[in-house]
Amino acid sequence: GADAVAIQNNKDVLLDKIVENIYREQLGRPADEAGKDFYVQQLASGKTATDLSNEIDRTLEGVQLRR
């Protein structure tokens, strides 16, 4: 019903914000749509924010920023 839709919408917004925050912390920029979609799906399927942070840190962009 309507409550289930509202709960799912709230979850989607929360996952979106988590990914945005990780991108800004790790890469210093907003998430691009493809990256955001991918990592939101990763969170929805059970990965943790720490998992995502570690993955983003190991991307080419993340590695280059730490140099």
Side-chain angles (χ1 to χ4, degrees), residues 2-56:
D3 287 342
V5 170
I7 290 169
Q8 185 60 48
N9 287 342
N10 287 342
K11 181 180 176 186
D12 292 345
V13 168
L14 180 60
L15 296 180
D16 195 78
K17 287 182 178 184
I18 290 169
V19 172
E20 273 296 334
N21 286 340
I22 291 170
Y23 261 76
R24 289 181 190 280
E25 282 183 25
Q26 299 295 115
L27 303 177
R29 66 172 178 83
D32 54 274
E33 283 303 311
K36 185 187 297 185
D37 291 345
F38 176 77
Y39 287 115
V40 164
Q41 184 58 44
Q42 295 290 304
L43 286 173
S45 66
K47 290 218 175 177
T48 67
T50 301
D51 293 335
L52 265 57
S53 182
N54 290 336
E55 284 184 30
I56 290 171

Side-chain angles (χ1 to χ4, degrees), residues 26-27 56-67:
Q26 299 295 115
L27 303 177
I56 290 171
D57 198 43
R58 289 190 300 266
T59 63
L60 179 60
E61 186 177 359
V63 169
Q64 288 175 336
L65 284 171
R66 288 195 316 276
R67 288 187 180 169

